[in-house]
Amino acid sequence: MALFNMADLRAALPRHARVLGLDPGSKTVGVALSDVTLLLASPYGTIKRGKLKANAAEISAICAKEDARGLLVGLPLSMDGTRGPAAQAATDWALALSEATGLPVAMWDERLSSAAVNRAMIEEGDLTRKRRAANVDAAAAAYTLQAALDATRPRLEDSTLPRY
């Protein structure tokens, strides 16, 4: 399957379908889930990064259970916005995952998502390093998914609602 942009992925989803957000790291993959209105992202958990076939099976099982019909994978762009080796690896993984699961996939810039989540966990949650490590991947996936949902939310003036 080809990569979608997030707006097109959102438009292609059936009504009340969710999006599964993924933050692939070297050891774990953070997982987040949208609500059925595609307005809110929540941390879902993590899966151990392993062989693509095993990860695709776990992700497919989550999608089947939660009625997620699309994937959003974090794209680790360089700080200047260019695509380096990490971004290429994430893109290759996203395409292979889409092929293995049969689900459409979009990618979203996830620069500094882990740093922002860590900072919030320290400042607001006063969490220890150990507790942060256990939760940061899923929270970073939710942070990235929320940014994508917010940026592609239909505007009121684009809707078919009557204007008064």
Side-chain angles (χ1 to χ4, degrees):
M1 291 188 143
L3 287 176
F4 279 71
N5 71 46
M6 184 57 189
D8 290 343
L9 173 65
R10 185 182 189 128
L13 293 174
R15 187 176 167 99
H16 299 302
R18 298 173 187 249
V19 173
L20 196 72
L22 302 167
D23 182 23
S26 59
K27 295 181 183 179
T28 60
V29 177
V31 181
L33 185 65
S34 75
D35 68 335
V36 296
T37 64
L38 301 179
L39 293 175
L40 184 64
S42 300
Y44 189 84
T46 58
I47 59 174
K48 184 177 180 187
R49 182 81 183 253
K51 299 274 186 196
L52 178 70
K53 188 174 180 178
N55 285 157
E58 287 182 78
I59 290 165
S60 291
I62 294 168
C63 288
K65 177 183 175 188
E66 303 295 346
D67 197 27
R69 304 279 184 93
L71 305 173
L72 178 92
V73 175
L75 181 63
L77 296 173
S78 300
M79 289 307 293
D80 64 0
T82 59
R83 296 170 76 94
Q88 186 59 52
T91 302
D92 293 345
W93 185 80
L95 286 168
L97 182 64
S98 176
E99 198 67 38
T101 61
L103 294 168
V105 65
M107 300 195 75
W108 197 263
D109 181 3
E110 58 105 35
R111 280 179 286 180
L112 300 177
S113 62
S114 294
V117 166
N118 264 312
R119 188 172 40 256
M121 287 180 171
I122 291 167
E123 293 173 1
E124 296 170 21
D126 195 28
L127 296 177
T128 65
R129 184 179 306 234
K130 185 176 180 181
R131 294 262 332 226
R132 284 195 319 269
N135 297 307
V136 71
D137 294 324
Y143 183 91
T144 302
L145 179 55
Q146 187 65 57
L149 293 173
D150 289 347
T152 60
R153 180 175 298 141
R155 297 181 316 206
L156 185 59
E157 51 279 355
D158 293 341
S159 76
T160 57
L161 295 175
R163 294 186 188 162
Y164 298 99

